[in-house]
Amino acid sequence: EKPDVMFEYARRKGEESQVDAICIAEALASAATLPGKPRISMNIHGSTLGNVPHFAEHFLDAAESYDIAPERLMLEIVEHRAPWAMESFKSTLGTLRDAGVRIAVDDLGVGASNFRMIVDCRPDHLKVDRYIADGCSRDPVRAAVIASIVSLADTIGARPIVEGIEHEDDLDVVT
């Protein structure tokens, strides 16, 4: 099944966090088979971070069992709905960050990845969605949105990542 269909079904059944945890375990297992020691990014729902007890400990134990250093890992937070258990969310992020895991807000500019998410999770990276990036060289509004996100990232000490650059003209806008 396509991931978006599977996660929508899981969301409707109230099982999104359980599916998230299974996907992350599988991603870590697969990453362990990669040659060298590449950096590994994986998506996770904010609700999983806030609603799954001891998520950080289980995640870090799983990474250790596959000999994957936390510094190689980045969790990209996506969210399709809010709210979640905010105190638990922030505590989980703190534990992960203290261990060396990098945190990103994914799909910035679409969905629920908004300014509240930035304030709540204090990310290391802001990932601009490809919808915003595609054609930014021909659309001054898209270019302005990217420039504002890059400026925001600089101000808060995060690194911007612009997804979906497929044309050299668009690359010139974001560099």
Side-chain angles (χ1 to χ4, degrees):
E1 200 60 63
K2 289 184 177 182
D4 57 338
V5 172
M6 179 185 68
F7 275 104
E8 181 58 30
Y9 179 78
R11 189 172 14 267
R12 288 182 183 183
K13 294 293 187 182
E15 302 291 330
E16 184 176 64
S17 293
Q18 289 79 1
V19 173
D20 234 3
I22 292 167
C23 289
I24 287 193
E26 289 297 318
L28 288 170
S30 294
T33 67
L34 296 172
K37 296 195 180 281
R39 292 182 182 259
I40 303 155
S41 295
M42 56 192 85
N43 287 2
I44 187 165
H45 292 89
S47 54
T48 299
L49 295 170
N51 296 336
V52 175
H54 310 290
F55 173 83
E57 292 82 0
H58 294 301
F59 176 77
L60 294 169
D61 287 347
E64 182 179 2
S65 74
Y66 291 113
D67 195 30
I68 300 172
E71 295 78 15
R72 292 176 46 207
L73 300 171
M74 179 164 62
L75 288 177
E76 301 178 13
I77 302 172
V78 297
E79 195 55 62
H80 298 283
R81 63 178 169 79
W84 48 84
M86 190 53 63
E87 187 174 315
S88 177
F89 174 81
K90 289 181 178 180
S91 174
T92 299
L93 283 179
T95 300
L96 293 166
R97 188 173 274 121
D98 289 347
V101 176
R102 290 167 295 125
I103 306 298
V105 172
D106 196 18
D107 299 334
L108 198 59
V110 298
S113 294
N114 59 30
F115 292 121
R116 178 180 175 172
M117 180 66 80
I118 294 168
V119 170
D120 288 344
C121 77
R122 313 291 167 121
D124 302 298
H125 299 273
L126 297 178
K127 293 188 68 185
V128 179
D129 189 76
R130 73 175 32 254
Y131 172 81
I132 303 296
D134 187 36
C136 64
S137 61
R138 299 177 308 281
D139 185 343
V141 173
R142 290 174 193 270
V145 168
I146 291 170
S148 69
I149 293 171
V150 169
S151 176
L152 173 63
D154 185 52
T155 300
I156 67 171
R159 183 175 179 196
I161 299 171
V162 182
E163 298 178 322
I165 301 296
E166 296 181 5
H167 303 284
E168 198 167 323
D169 292 346
D170 291 344
L171 179 61
D172 292 341
V173 169
V174 302
T175 56

